[in-house]
Amino acid sequence: MRRIYEPPEPDDGLRVLVDRLWPRGIAKEAARIDEWPKGLTPSTELRTWYHGGGAYEEFRRRYEAELDVPEAAELLDGLRKAAREGPVTLLTASKTPGESHARVLQDLLTG
């Protein structure tokens, strides 16, 4: 898991943007994104709630519930398969990746 603002590294493997919105100030060519599965991102309502002061553990619980819906579950399974086959780098614009949806996805992929 890395911030999208960091330059790509040769060992990144599959680079997956896990934010719903395209990050400001990044050109699509420079980002070197392989996948952008918007169906894996938190809903607008959940993002708004969390950024409005919601607690991370409650955000995590609600986001994991959103990931149980069929479309998201299928995308998550595809990401798990990719991670078994080689490196996967989750990219986010979050200023605090350790307390973001990217961390939840990372934990689900590695746990």
Side-chain angles (χ1 to χ4, degrees):
M1 173 179 58
R2 297 190 357 195
R3 291 195 73 218
I4 186 88
Y5 301 104
E6 298 173 30
E9 295 288 333
D11 62 345
D12 281 350
L14 183 71
R15 292 174 52 86
V16 181
L17 178 61
V18 294
D19 292 347
R20 184 170 298 267
L21 305 175
W22 186 262
R24 291 182 182 180
I26 297 288
K28 290 188 179 185
E29 307 79 45
R32 288 198 28 231
I33 300 299
D34 297 309
E35 293 185 18
W36 188 11
K38 293 180 187 177
L40 269 181
T41 63
S43 66
T44 300
E45 296 78 19
L46 182 56
R47 277 187 308 111
T48 302
W49 174 83
Y50 183 50
H51 294 298
Y56 177 70
E57 288 305 318
E58 179 63 15
F59 165 78
R60 181 182 188 97
R61 186 189 68 72
R62 291 181 186 189
Y63 180 43
E64 287 178 353
E66 287 187 354
L67 291 172
D68 282 339
V69 301
E71 177 192 1
E74 185 176 324
L75 289 168
L76 186 57
D77 286 343
L79 211 49
R80 283 186 179 117
K81 182 179 182 225
R84 286 191 299 271
E85 295 172 0
V88 172
T89 301
L90 303 177
L91 300 166
T92 182
S94 174
K95 292 179 183 175
T96 55
E99 290 188 349
S100 72
H101 63 289
R103 178 55 184 259
V104 175
L105 287 172
Q106 180 184 34
D107 290 348
L108 291 172
L109 291 175
T110 60

